[in-house]
Amino acid sequence: MSERYLGRTALVTGAASGIGRAIAFAAAREGARLILGDVAVDRLTDVADSLRARGTDVYSATCDVTRTADVDALVARGADEIGPVDVAFANAGILGTPGDVWDYPETEFARILDLNVMGTWRTFRAVLPQMISRRSGAIVATASAAGVIGPAGLPAYVASKHAVVGLVKSTAMNVAPYGIRVNAFCPHMVDTPMLDKVSAEIPGLRASLDHQTPLGRVASAEEVARSALWLGSEESSFVTGHPLLVDGGLVAQ
């Protein structure tokens, strides 16, 4: 078993399911201590208890990334419990409601930007003072292939993920003098509860996604998590400001 994260503390937001859950379990297998946050309290508790049963040191707490106080408290209390953050996975996000640009609900657009963009920024802002003081650290944001291309029908989500990629690039330049790296990974659709929910609302979506991806399928959460862990590890020590496509070849077409 790899021990790339042995002795390191990893923060994961949106850790209760999907990609965040997969990142948490993958980091634990590689030796990480974990600080986990999510709004889904029951599922988060199940994840934390399962990890502790495997011998992982875990601090978990309710965290709504649209609330600055929640994010700050998760990072501060987690650091007090198990140690300052070495690697932060700013993963919390939502797809939101599909719709056309010209009649998209203003409140929904603002909600998605607040969670996906401002939530990512709040996470960056909370962990960076710890990293700057130690002149080391890595941040990995969950973006999307939709942060590189512009598919129709999800204007707020696409705008938010483009913004996350821009935030990653700007922050990477800002903190490079302190030895801190900031990157994003950009998956296409991933086999998660979020995809199950959307597929139930849009008949034929899953088959269409498989067909449009050159590798012929959507990604598993576990293989996407492996890409995220690589970006947070010393194996990518000279990579910063980079949006890593994990999209089965979608954007290369």
Side-chain angles (χ1 to χ4, degrees), residues 34-59:
L34 292 170
I35 300 171
L36 306 179
D38 204 297
V39 293
V41 179
D42 291 343
R43 291 202 306 266
L44 180 64
T45 299
D46 290 343
V47 169
D49 288 348
S50 179
L51 288 165
R52 290 189 188 101
R54 300 174 186 216
T56 302
D57 194 1
V58 180
Y59 172 80

Side-chain angles (χ1 to χ4, degrees), residues 57-91:
D57 194 1
V58 180
Y59 172 80
S60 65
T62 304
C63 180
D64 179 348
V65 297
T66 67
R67 294 174 54 86
T68 299
D70 277 16
V71 180
D72 290 348
L74 178 68
V75 172
R77 293 172 186 168
D80 288 343
E81 290 284 334
I82 62 173
V85 176
D86 297 297
V87 184
F89 295 97
N91 170 72

Side-chain angles (χ1 to χ4, degrees), residues 82-188:
I82 62 173
V85 176
D86 297 297
V87 184
F89 295 97
N91 170 72
I94 54 172
L95 185 63
T97 306
D100 297 315
V101 173
W102 54 89
D103 61 0
Y104 202 85
E106 183 175 345
T107 54
E108 176 69 354
F109 206 108
R111 182 177 77 95
I112 293 169
L113 291 182
D114 189 20
L115 204 158
N116 290 1
V117 184
M118 296 292 287
T120 300
W121 168 71
R122 291 182 185 102
T123 305
F124 286 15
R125 190 177 69 167
V127 300
L128 278 170
Q130 296 182 10
M131 294 180 175
I132 289 170
S133 69
R134 290 177 288 127
R135 303 188 72 85
S136 69
I139 298 174
V140 182
T142 302
S144 171
V148 179
I149 56 176
L154 290 166
Y157 179 77
V158 172
S160 74
K161 293 303 184 179
H162 273 73
V164 168
V165 170
L167 177 63
V168 161
K169 291 180 178 181
S170 178
T171 307
M173 299 303 98
N174 201 172
V175 301
Y178 300 98
I180 301 164
R181 298 182 303 107
V182 187
N183 292 290
F185 63 103
C186 302
H188 184 31

